[in-house]
Amino acid sequence: MPEKLVSDVIVERLQKWGVQRIFGYSGDGINGVVAALQRAGDRPAFVQSRHEENAAFMAVGHAKFTGTPGVVLSTQGPGAVHLLNGLYDAKLDHVPVVAIVGQQERSVLGSGYMQEIDLPTLFADVAPEFTQLVSAAEQVPFVIDKAFRTALATRSPAVVIIAHDVQKAPAPDPAAHEHGAIVTEAGYRPPRVLPADDDLSAAAAVLSSGRKVALLVGQGAKDAWPAVREIAERLGAGVVTSLLGKPFVDERESFVAGTMGHLGTTASAFVMGECDTLLIVGSNDPWTEFYPAPGQARAVQIDIDGRLIGNRYPVEVGLVGDARETLERLSPLLEAKPASAVSEWRADVERSVTRWRAISAERAAVEAEPINPEAVIRELGEQLPGNARIALDVGSVVYWYARQLVLPPDVTAHVSGTLASMGCSLPYGIAAKLAQPERPVFVLTGDGGFQMTGINELITLSRLWRSWADPRFVICILNNGDLAEVSWEQREMESSPRFAASQDLPDVPAARYAELLGLGGERVDDPGKLAEAWRRAISADRPYLLDVVTDPGIPLLPPFPAGEAKLEPMMSALAAEGDAGRHAADLLAVYASHERDE
Ligand SMILES: Cc1ncc(C[n+]2csc(CCOP(=O)(O)OP(=O)(O)O)c2C)c(N)n1
C-alpha cells in the first residue's frame, strides 16, 4: 500500500479545518475514508449514530449550537438517501454543514450498479451551492476546501461525493504550478458586511417617523441583543421574535412580546397587528398572516443575505448587513423623540405583555387529564440551570416552549425551525453535549418525535455518556398518545375530526427502556409529582428520561385576533368526535375565553 492515500489527504484537510468530530455511519462506499479516520487516530473523532438521517441532524445540531460547520459522513446509495432530511434542515435554517459521501467505483458508474444512485442529481436541490463528485485524485484537497468555504460563506450544506476507487488511490503529488492544476489553502474569515451610509439614513428616517414601532428579531440577531434593546428603547418599540430568534432576546423585559406566529404569544399578535412601522432584524419567519397587513406598516429589514430582503413583507428600505453592527450604526441616526410621542404605544405594548404573562400562567394552571403539557415546560423554566442547552423536537412542544419557557440569557435552544422535521431533538442534543459536555442538555419532544428517531439515538446516548465530565442530559417526552399538533391541524384546517388510525400512537414504556440501557428514567402521571421529578432528572448522575403523561386535549389555539376565525372549524370537528371531543372542546372554550378577557 502506498504511504498516503487520497482518503488520508481528506482527513488531513478536515484536521486543517479544525473539525473535531464527524457524525456518520459506515458502508463499503465510504470505507476508504473511514479507514483513513482510523489511521488518523480519532482526529477527528467518529460519532456513530443509529441512522444517517440522525447523523445529519447531529451535524446540523453541531452547527447550530457551535456556529462552526457540522460534518457528516455516509456511504453511497441508501446511506446517501438517508442524509437528505438533515441536509434540508441545514439548508432551510441556513447553517453550514459538510457531507462526505461515498460512491461506487468510477468503472461502473452509469451501469445501474449495486447501490448506484446518481448522487449529484440526488443532492442538487439540497446543496445547490456546492455538490461535487470527486472522480480524480487531484481534486483533493481543493474540493474539501471549497466545500467548507461554500458552507460557511453561504450558510448552507455542501456535499462532497467521492468514488470509492478514488478514496483508495495514492495521494496525488502536490499540484504543480501549471494549467489544469489547483493549489488551495484551508481557512475562511467571514466578511464584515455593512450597508451604505445613505441607506442607513433612509432606514433611520422611516423608523424615526413611526409612532408604533415593532421589531421582529430572528436568529440573525444572535449576538445583537444589546443593540436590539437600545434601538427598542430609543424607538419605544415592542420586540417580537421569530421561533428561531427567541433565544436571542431577553424575554424578561417588559417590552418583549415573545414569539410570533400560529404558535406564538397573544402579545406578539397585538404588537404585529397594531404597529405602523416594522424593523425586521435577521428574520425570515414564514408566518406571513401574522405580520402586519401589507401596507399597514412601513418596513425596514436588516439581513446578512440580500436574497432574503423583502422575502416576507414589502420592505421600503432593505439593509444588507451584519445585524449587530448595522443596528449600532443605525441607532445614533434615529431622531430623538420626545418621550410623549412614543409613550402611549410603549404603554400599550407593555400592557399586552403583562396580559400575555397572565394568560400563560393561567393556561399552565388549567387542570388537565392527567398532566397539562404547558405546566411541564413552565416547571422546567423554574428549574432550568443557567448554562443549559435545549434541543427541541417538532410537535406541540414547540408551542409550549414558545409560550411557557423564559430562557435565561445564556441558554440557547434549537429546533428544526423551517423544515420543521420531527426527530431532530435527540440528535441535536447529543451534538450539543459532545461540543460542550460541561453543560446540561435538555431534550424536549413529543412521543411521536421520540418514537421516530429518539428511541434509536437513546442507544447512542447510552454508549456515550460515561465519558462526559457532566452527565446531565435530560429527555422529557410529552407523552400524549397522539400526534397532537396534527390532530389539531386536522380540526383547524380541514374541520375534520381526529382520525384515530393516523393519529393514535402506541404506548411505549420509554422510561423502562432507558433503564434497560443503563440510563435513569421514570414515568410521571401525577401533576403533583412533576416538580419533584424534574428535580430528580436534573440532579441525576446519568442521562435521565422523564416520560410525562400529558393531555392531548390541551388546544393549539393560535393567538387572537387571527385565531378567532379558527374556533368554528375546530369546534365543529370536536363536536363530530362525540364524547372523545368533549373534553378538548371544553378546554378550547376556556382558552378562547383567555384571549377575549381584557
Ligand atoms: C418528519 C415529519 N413527519 C411529519 C411531520 C408532521 N407533523 C408535525 S407535528 C406532528 C406530530 C408530532 O407528534 P408528537 O411528537 O407526538 O408531538 P405532539 O404534537 O403530539 O405533542 C407531525 C406528524 C413533520 N413535521 N415531520
Side-chain angles (χ1 to χ4, degrees):
M1 193 163 96
E3 237 163 51
K4 203 196 248 186
L5 307 181
V6 166
S7 291
D8 297 305
V9 180
I10 292 171
V11 172
E12 279 174 13
R13 219 53 180 183
L14 296 176
Q15 292 167 353
K16 270 209 156 185
W17 278 95
V19 176
Q20 292 186 348
R21 65 190 64 84
I22 300 187
F23 305 96
Y25 212 82
S26 66
D28 62 325
I30 195 66
N31 274 349
V33 176
V34 173
L37 285 167
Q38 185 181 23
R39 288 194 288 278
D42 233 21
R43 291 183 47 246
F46 189 88
V47 180
Q48 183 205 65
S49 63
R50 301 304 102 220
H51 187 299
E52 290 87 352
E53 173 169 322
N54 300 346
F57 277 140
M58 287 177 191
V60 179
H62 175 94
K64 288 184 173 181
F65 280 102
T66 69
T68 62
V71 183
V72 62
L73 170 148
S74 88
T75 190
Q76 63 207 2
V81 174
H82 276 177
L83 291 179
L84 282 179
N85 211 36
L87 296 183
Y88 273 108
D89 187 28
K91 177 182 179 181
L92 271 60
D93 277 353
H94 305 287
V95 293
V97 165
V98 174
I100 297 177
V101 185
Q103 177 59 305
Q104 274 296 358
E105 322 239 328
R106 286 169 301 171
S107 55
V108 301
L109 291 181
S111 74
Y113 211 64
M114 189 176 174
Q115 294 195 328
E116 186 197 344
I117 286 178
D118 177 2
L119 293 180
T121 301
L122 182 79
F123 291 115
D125 181 56
V126 73
E129 303 288 355
F130 193 73
T131 292
Q132 184 59 52
L133 171 68
V134 176
S135 52
E138 292 72 19
Q139 286 172 276
V140 173
F142 86 76
V143 168
I144 300 289
D145 288 346
K146 183 117 186 245
F148 276 89
R149 246 192 300 280
T150 307
L152 283 161
T154 63
R155 292 175 306 280
S156 70
V159 179
V160 178
I161 304 156
I162 313 172
H164 187 214
D165 54 320
V166 176
Q167 295 169 34
K168 294 190 292 189
D173 293 332
H177 184 206
E178 63 186 24
H179 189 71
I182 297 175
V183 184
T184 62
E185 192 46 86
Y188 178 77
R189 289 170 193 266
R192 185 173 180 201
V193 184
L194 284 174
D197 288 344
D198 285 355
D199 295 328
L200 283 166
S201 302
V206 171
L207 295 170
S208 297
S209 69
R211 293 187 70 91
K212 299 196 236 173
V213 184
L215 268 56
L216 167 57
V217 177
Q219 63 166 342
K222 62 173 164 291
D223 58 357
W225 170 242
V228 169
R229 181 170 44 204
E230 187 185 318
I231 294 243
E233 294 285 11
R234 290 181 72 107
L235 294 170
V239 171
V240 166
T241 75
S242 67
L243 174 63
L244 296 179
K246 174 179 161 90
F248 307 116
V249 305
D250 188 344
E251 285 193 88
R252 297 169 304 183
E253 294 283 1
S254 60
F255 55 90
V256 177
T259 309
M260 74 169 283
H262 191 284
L263 48 72
T265 68
T266 309
S268 76
F270 170 80
V271 172
M272 292 294 258
E274 296 297 317
C275 68
D276 65 13
T277 307
L278 177 65
L279 170 59
I280 304 172
V281 186
S283 167
N284 190 35
D285 194 289
W287 288 110
T288 45
E289 71 272 36
F290 288 88
Y291 283 68
Q296 172 192 324
R298 297 179 73 190
V300 171
Q301 183 177 356
I302 301 170
D303 206 288
I304 193 87
D305 186 342
R307 292 171 296 188
L308 300 180
I309 300 285
N311 197 41
R312 303 292 185 215
Y313 192 76
V315 163
E316 202 170 317
V317 184
L319 301 175
V320 179
D322 165 78
R324 184 175 56 77
E325 270 200 88
T326 304
L327 288 170
E328 284 167 359
R329 288 180 179 225
L330 199 52
S331 191
L333 304 178
L334 299 172
E335 265 169 42
K337 294 188 191 183
S340 58
V342 289
S343 63
E344 203 180 316
W345 169 242
R346 180 62 173 255
D348 287 347
V349 169
E350 293 191 356
R351 232 186 332 271
S352 79
V353 172
T354 305
R355 184 172 160 248
W356 164 249
R357 287 177 182 167
I359 293 177
S360 67
E362 253 180 306
R363 288 191 175 163
V366 164
E367 266 188 46
E369 295 176 3
I371 298 182
N372 180 338
E374 302 214 38
V376 180
I377 303 304
R378 196 174 181 90
E379 181 59 38
L380 170 62
E382 298 292 321
Q383 300 193 27
L384 195 64
N387 62 346
R389 293 279 177 260
I390 295 175
L392 202 63
D393 220 275
V394 170
S396 64
V397 67
V398 182
Y399 284 68
W400 318 139
Y401 156 77
R403 295 177 180 183
Q404 292 291 355
L405 203 56
V406 177
L407 299 170
D410 196 28
V411 174
T412 51
H414 288 290
V415 59
S416 168
T418 316
L419 182 63
S421 178
M422 289 167 70
C424 60
S425 62
L426 230 304
Y428 277 18
I430 288 174
K433 189 70 177 174
L434 288 169
Q436 290 182 302
E438 70 284 3
R439 289 177 179 251
V441 166
F442 292 78
V443 169
L444 308 178
T445 178
D447 44 344
F450 179 73
Q451 290 174 24
M452 190 173 273
T453 64
I455 204 157
N456 294 342
E457 294 312 322
L458 209 58
I459 301 170
T460 307
L461 180 64
S462 74
R463 74 172 351 184
L464 292 176
W465 71 271
R466 281 170 215 277
S467 64
W468 293 338
D470 180 333
R472 287 177 300 169
F473 190 107
V474 181
I475 302 132
C476 173
I477 305 174
L478 299 180
N479 178 0
N480 53 21
D482 187 20
L483 293 170
E485 181 175 339
V486 174
S487 298
W488 282 100
E489 284 166 352
Q490 289 171 345
R491 294 168 182 133
E492 178 191 321
M493 295 158 79
E494 325 299 329
S495 195
S496 90
R498 184 177 175 282
F499 178 38
S502 76
Q503 301 313 106
D504 280 355
L505 286 171
D507 188 18
V508 172
R512 276 166 47 209
Y513 182 56
E515 284 175 342
L516 280 177
L517 292 171
L519 311 174
E522 63 183 286
R523 178 169 279 211
V524 189
D525 55 12
D526 175 352
K529 297 189 173 151
L530 184 61
E532 198 44 49
W534 269 121
R535 266 189 285 282
R536 264 193 301 281
I538 292 172
S539 58
D541 65 354
R542 62 193 60 212
Y544 201 92
L545 187 149
L546 289 179
D547 182 18
V548 187
V549 184
T550 56
D551 188 341
I554 293 289
L556 270 62
L557 181 64
F560 282 21
E564 187 142 32
K566 312 292 186 182
L567 278 177
E568 202 277 316
M570 283 175 162
M571 280 297 190
S572 78
L574 287 166
E577 290 173 31
D579 284 351
R582 200 152 301 131
H583 165 65
D586 290 346
L587 288 171
L588 184 56
V590 171
Y591 270 52
S593 73
H594 294 149
E595 294 280 347
R596 290 194 186 110
D597 288 348
E598 276 301 333

mmCIF file of all heavy atoms in Angstrom, residues 428-455:
data_model
loop_
_atom_site.group_PDB
_atom_site.id
_atom_site.type_symbol
_atom_site.label_atom_id
_atom_site.label_comp_id
_atom_site.label_asym_id
_atom_site.label_seq_id
_atom_site.Cartn_x
_atom_site.Cartn_y
_atom_site.Cartn_z
ATOM 1 N N TYR A 428 -29.806 16.511 17.889
ATOM 2 C CA TYR A 428 -29.294 17.851 18.218
ATOM 3 C C TYR A 428 -28.694 17.849 19.633
ATOM 4 O O TYR A 428 -27.649 18.438 19.886
ATOM 5 C CB TYR A 428 -30.427 18.880 18.239
ATOM 6 C CG TYR A 428 -30.862 19.494 16.937
ATOM 7 C CD1 TYR A 428 -30.568 18.940 15.702
ATOM 8 C CD2 TYR A 428 -31.610 20.663 16.964
ATOM 9 C CE1 TYR A 428 -31.011 19.541 14.534
ATOM 10 C CE2 TYR A 428 -32.059 21.264 15.811
ATOM 11 C CZ TYR A 428 -31.770 20.709 14.594
ATOM 12 O OH TYR A 428 -32.219 21.310 13.451
ATOM 13 N N GLY A 429 -29.425 17.219 20.555
ATOM 14 C CA GLY A 429 -28.981 17.237 21.955
ATOM 15 C C GLY A 429 -27.642 16.534 22.114
ATOM 16 O O GLY A 429 -26.762 17.011 22.844
ATOM 17 N N ILE A 430 -27.481 15.423 21.427
ATOM 18 C CA ILE A 430 -26.208 14.684 21.519
ATOM 19 C C ILE A 430 -25.075 15.557 20.964
ATOM 20 O O ILE A 430 -23.995 15.654 21.561
ATOM 21 C CB ILE A 430 -26.321 13.336 20.780
ATOM 22 C CG1 ILE A 430 -27.218 12.387 21.595
ATOM 23 C CG2 ILE A 430 -24.950 12.716 20.549
ATOM 24 C CD1 ILE A 430 -27.539 11.064 20.913
ATOM 25 N N ALA A 431 -25.325 16.218 19.851
ATOM 26 C CA ALA A 431 -24.282 17.080 19.275
ATOM 27 C C ALA A 431 -23.944 18.233 20.220
ATOM 28 O O ALA A 431 -22.769 18.585 20.387
ATOM 29 C CB ALA A 431 -24.742 17.624 17.921
ATOM 30 N N ALA A 432 -24.969 18.805 20.851
ATOM 31 C CA ALA A 432 -24.727 19.911 21.785
ATOM 32 C C ALA A 432 -23.868 19.433 22.956
ATOM 33 O O ALA A 432 -22.940 20.111 23.395
ATOM 34 C CB ALA A 432 -26.053 20.469 22.303
ATOM 35 N N LYS A 433 -24.184 18.251 23.441
ATOM 36 C CA LYS A 433 -23.466 17.725 24.604
ATOM 37 C C LYS A 433 -22.021 17.386 24.240
ATOM 38 O O LYS A 433 -21.098 17.663 25.013
ATOM 39 C CB LYS A 433 -24.200 16.482 25.122
ATOM 40 C CG LYS A 433 -23.691 15.971 26.443
ATOM 41 C CD LYS A 433 -24.040 16.903 27.593
ATOM 42 C CE LYS A 433 -23.581 16.342 28.928
ATOM 43 N NZ LYS A 433 -23.796 17.296 30.026
ATOM 44 N N LEU A 434 -21.817 16.797 23.067
ATOM 45 C CA LEU A 434 -20.449 16.456 22.664
ATOM 46 C C LEU A 434 -19.608 17.724 22.503
ATOM 47 O O LEU A 434 -18.419 17.732 22.817
ATOM 48 C CB LEU A 434 -20.465 15.654 21.360
ATOM 49 C CG LEU A 434 -20.975 14.217 21.508
ATOM 50 C CD1 LEU A 434 -21.203 13.590 20.135
ATOM 51 C CD2 LEU A 434 -20.005 13.366 22.327
ATOM 52 N N ALA A 435 -20.235 18.801 22.034
ATOM 53 C CA ALA A 435 -19.490 20.042 21.833
ATOM 54 C C ALA A 435 -19.138 20.692 23.161
ATOM 55 O O ALA A 435 -18.066 21.275 23.312
ATOM 56 C CB ALA A 435 -20.299 21.007 20.968
ATOM 57 N N GLN A 436 -20.040 20.591 24.139
ATOM 58 C CA GLN A 436 -19.803 21.219 25.445
ATOM 59 C C GLN A 436 -20.317 20.298 26.548
ATOM 60 O O GLN A 436 -21.387 20.530 27.128
ATOM 61 C CB GLN A 436 -20.521 22.568 25.513
ATOM 62 C CG GLN A 436 -19.895 23.626 24.617
ATOM 63 C CD GLN A 436 -20.612 24.942 24.760
ATOM 64 O OE1 GLN A 436 -21.816 25.023 24.523
ATOM 65 N NE2 GLN A 436 -19.891 25.976 25.161
ATOM 66 N N PRO A 437 -19.549 19.256 26.861
ATOM 67 C CA PRO A 437 -20.048 18.252 27.812
ATOM 68 C C PRO A 437 -20.262 18.806 29.223
ATOM 69 O O PRO A 437 -20.962 18.190 30.021
ATOM 70 C CB PRO A 437 -18.940 17.186 27.830
ATOM 71 C CG PRO A 437 -17.988 17.539 26.763
ATOM 72 C CD PRO A 437 -18.231 18.943 26.324
ATOM 73 N N GLU A 438 -19.705 19.965 29.503
ATOM 74 C CA GLU A 438 -19.866 20.522 30.853
ATOM 75 C C GLU A 438 -21.233 21.178 31.050
ATOM 76 O O GLU A 438 -21.603 21.517 32.164
ATOM 77 C CB GLU A 438 -18.730 21.499 31.160
ATOM 78 C CG GLU A 438 -18.736 22.818 30.383
ATOM 79 C CD GLU A 438 -18.259 22.698 28.920
ATOM 80 O OE1 GLU A 438 -17.961 21.572 28.471
ATOM 81 O OE2 GLU A 438 -18.211 23.736 28.241
ATOM 82 N N ARG A 439 -21.975 21.345 29.974
ATOM 83 C CA ARG A 439 -23.294 21.994 30.104
ATOM 84 C C ARG A 439 -24.406 20.958 30.118
ATOM 85 O O ARG A 439 -24.383 20.026 29.319
ATOM 86 C CB ARG A 439 -23.545 22.928 28.921
ATOM 87 C CG ARG A 439 -22.704 24.178 28.940
ATOM 88 C CD ARG A 439 -22.998 24.963 27.684
ATOM 89 N NE ARG A 439 -22.243 26.182 27.628
ATOM 90 C CZ ARG A 439 -22.785 27.409 27.778
ATOM 91 N NH1 ARG A 439 -24.061 27.542 27.976
ATOM 92 N NH2 ARG A 439 -22.028 28.475 27.695
ATOM 93 N N PRO A 440 -25.399 21.122 30.989
ATOM 94 C CA PRO A 440 -26.527 20.192 30.963
ATOM 95 C C PRO A 440 -27.383 20.407 29.715
ATOM 96 O O PRO A 440 -27.590 21.540 29.285
ATOM 97 C CB PRO A 440 -27.324 20.548 32.220
ATOM 98 C CG PRO A 440 -26.881 21.908 32.613
ATOM 99 C CD PRO A 440 -25.518 22.150 32.037
ATOM 100 N N VAL A 441 -27.851 19.306 29.161
ATOM 101 C CA VAL A 441 -28.665 19.376 27.938
ATOM 102 C C VAL A 441 -30.078 18.889 28.247
ATOM 103 O O VAL A 441 -30.263 17.915 28.990
ATOM 104 C CB VAL A 441 -28.034 18.521 26.820
ATOM 105 C CG1 VAL A 441 -29.018 18.294 25.679
ATOM 106 C CG2 VAL A 441 -26.762 19.179 26.306
ATOM 107 N N PHE A 442 -31.058 19.578 27.683
ATOM 108 C CA PHE A 442 -32.466 19.196 27.838
ATOM 109 C C PHE A 442 -33.060 18.944 26.464
ATOM 110 O O PHE A 442 -33.025 19.821 25.604
ATOM 111 C CB PHE A 442 -33.239 20.304 28.561
ATOM 112 C CG PHE A 442 -32.808 20.450 29.991
ATOM 113 C CD1 PHE A 442 -31.637 21.115 30.307
ATOM 114 C CD2 PHE A 442 -33.543 19.879 31.010
ATOM 115 C CE1 PHE A 442 -31.208 21.217 31.617
ATOM 116 C CE2 PHE A 442 -33.122 19.970 32.324
ATOM 117 C CZ PHE A 442 -31.946 20.638 32.632
ATOM 118 N N VAL A 443 -33.574 17.747 26.276
ATOM 119 C CA VAL A 443 -34.234 17.388 25.026
ATOM 120 C C VAL A 443 -35.733 17.353 25.307
ATOM 121 O O VAL A 443 -36.182 16.643 26.199
ATOM 122 C CB VAL A 443 -33.746 16.007 24.540
ATOM 123 C CG1 VAL A 443 -34.617 15.498 23.405
ATOM 124 C CG2 VAL A 443 -32.285 16.079 24.114
ATOM 125 N N LEU A 444 -36.476 18.147 24.565
ATOM 126 C CA LEU A 444 -37.926 18.219 24.782
ATOM 127 C C LEU A 444 -38.619 17.706 23.529
ATOM 128 O O LEU A 444 -38.428 18.253 22.443
ATOM 129 C CB LEU A 444 -38.346 19.672 25.060
ATOM 130 C CG LEU A 444 -37.564 20.398 26.159
ATOM 131 C CD1 LEU A 444 -38.053 21.842 26.290
ATOM 132 C CD2 LEU A 444 -37.698 19.674 27.493
ATOM 133 N N THR A 445 -39.435 16.677 23.683
ATOM 134 C CA THR A 445 -40.020 16.037 22.498
ATOM 135 C C THR A 445 -41.402 15.476 22.799
ATOM 136 O O THR A 445 -41.733 15.193 23.953
ATOM 137 C CB THR A 445 -39.085 14.906 21.999
ATOM 138 O OG1 THR A 445 -39.687 14.266 20.871
ATOM 139 C CG2 THR A 445 -38.827 13.854 23.061
ATOM 140 N N GLY A 446 -42.185 15.282 21.751
ATOM 141 C CA GLY A 446 -43.420 14.530 21.884
ATOM 142 C C GLY A 446 -43.121 13.045 21.784
ATOM 143 O O GLY A 446 -41.998 12.638 21.442
ATOM 144 N N ASP A 447 -44.137 12.221 22.050
ATOM 145 C CA ASP A 447 -43.907 10.778 21.935
ATOM 146 C C ASP A 447 -43.720 10.373 20.468
ATOM 147 O O ASP A 447 -42.969 9.443 20.168
ATOM 148 C CB ASP A 447 -44.992 9.943 22.627
ATOM 149 C CG ASP A 447 -46.411 10.416 22.387
ATOM 150 O OD1 ASP A 447 -46.612 11.564 21.934
ATOM 151 O OD2 ASP A 447 -47.342 9.641 22.672
ATOM 152 N N GLY A 448 -44.352 11.107 19.545
ATOM 153 C CA GLY A 448 -44.158 10.803 18.124
ATOM 154 C C GLY A 448 -42.722 11.052 17.695
ATOM 155 O O GLY A 448 -42.099 10.208 17.044
ATOM 156 N N GLY A 449 -42.195 12.218 18.051
ATOM 157 C CA GLY A 449 -40.810 12.540 17.713
ATOM 158 C C GLY A 449 -39.846 11.550 18.349
ATOM 159 O O GLY A 449 -38.873 11.120 17.723
ATOM 160 N N PHE A 450 -40.147 11.182 19.593
ATOM 161 C CA PHE A 450 -39.276 10.230 20.285
ATOM 162 C C PHE A 450 -39.297 8.873 19.591
ATOM 163 O O PHE A 450 -38.256 8.247 19.387
ATOM 164 C CB PHE A 450 -39.712 10.083 21.750
ATOM 165 C CG PHE A 450 -38.865 9.097 22.498
ATOM 166 C CD1 PHE A 450 -37.567 9.406 22.863
ATOM 167 C CD2 PHE A 450 -39.357 7.840 22.814
ATOM 168 C CE1 PHE A 450 -36.771 8.483 23.526
ATOM 169 C CE2 PHE A 450 -38.577 6.911 23.482
ATOM 170 C CZ PHE A 450 -37.272 7.229 23.832
ATOM 171 N N GLN A 451 -40.496 8.454 19.185
ATOM 172 C CA GLN A 451 -40.581 7.139 18.540
ATOM 173 C C GLN A 451 -39.972 7.159 17.139
ATOM 174 O O GLN A 451 -39.577 6.127 16.603
ATOM 175 C CB GLN A 451 -42.038 6.666 18.491
ATOM 176 C CG GLN A 451 -42.583 6.305 19.877
ATOM 177 C CD GLN A 451 -44.067 5.975 19.887
ATOM 178 O OE1 GLN A 451 -44.630 5.590 18.871
ATOM 179 N NE2 GLN A 451 -44.705 6.143 21.032
ATOM 180 N N MET A 452 -39.904 8.352 16.551
ATOM 181 C CA MET A 452 -39.366 8.434 15.187
ATOM 182 C C MET A 452 -37.848 8.231 15.166
ATOM 183 O O MET A 452 -37.333 7.421 14.408
ATOM 184 C CB MET A 452 -39.743 9.783 14.564
ATOM 185 C CG MET A 452 -39.440 9.880 13.085
ATOM 186 S SD MET A 452 -40.079 11.394 12.347
ATOM 187 C CE MET A 452 -41.743 10.930 11.901
ATOM 188 N N THR A 453 -37.116 8.986 15.970
ATOM 189 C CA THR A 453 -35.643 8.843 15.962
ATOM 190 C C THR A 453 -35.067 8.735 17.367
ATOM 191 O O THR A 453 -33.996 8.196 17.562
ATOM 192 C CB THR A 453 -34.952 10.068 15.312
ATOM 193 O OG1 THR A 453 -35.223 11.201 16.128
ATOM 194 C CG2 THR A 453 -35.418 10.322 13.914
ATOM 195 N N GLY A 454 -35.800 9.310 18.342
ATOM 196 C CA GLY A 454 -35.237 9.413 19.684
ATOM 197 C C GLY A 454 -34.929 8.058 20.289
ATOM 198 O O GLY A 454 -33.882 7.853 20.925
ATOM 199 N N ILE A 455 -35.834 7.126 20.066
ATOM 200 C CA ILE A 455 -35.680 5.808 20.671
ATOM 201 C C ILE A 455 -34.376 5.158 20.192
ATOM 202 O O ILE A 455 -33.698 4.463 20.944
ATOM 203 C CB ILE A 455 -36.926 4.965 20.339
ATOM 204 C CG1 ILE A 455 -37.121 3.882 21.364
ATOM 205 C CG2 ILE A 455 -36.927 4.436 18.933
ATOM 206 C CD1 ILE A 455 -38.573 3.400 21.412
#
